[in-house]
Amino acid sequence: MNQELIDLAVERGRLIERISSQRQRLGQELQPIGEALQGADRVLASVRKGCGYVQEHPEVVAVGVALLIVVQPRRVWRWSKRGFVAWRTWRMVRSQIADLGLLTPRR
């Protein structure tokens, strides 16, 4: 019986060592993904900060849009149509993803 406990302790030690090496290897293999996600987090933080600025200062956006309309209305109209199509497409895709249960619906 005492030998069984020793064998179990030895096996436990081996398993703990194997788990430790697997964790270390996994950390090394996932490092590039972590770096990419940090970059994505920085971009997302910048976008949120920009959205916050726009919400706090809508007059700046209005002046910018008015200036664009005065300067080149044709180009503004073309990009407005593209933006509208992109927005509608995003809403449709988001709705489909929500229907699959991968995202909570937001309306």
Side-chain angles (χ1 to χ4, degrees), residues 47-98:
V47 168
R48 285 183 177 157
K49 186 177 178 181
C51 288
Y53 180 82
V54 168
Q55 287 176 347
E56 291 175 11
H57 304 285
E59 65 279 355
V60 174
V61 176
V63 168
V65 169
L67 186 63
L68 284 174
I69 289 173
V70 168
V71 173
Q72 292 201 347
R74 214 178 273 161
R75 184 177 288 177
V76 171
W77 179 248
R78 187 176 349 141
W79 279 102
S80 298
K81 289 192 298 187
R82 290 176 183 167
F84 180 72
V85 169
W87 175 73
R88 294 282 300 181
T89 303
W90 168 246
R91 286 192 44 123
M92 182 186 67
V93 168
R94 191 174 64 187
S95 172
Q96 294 295 322
I97 291 172

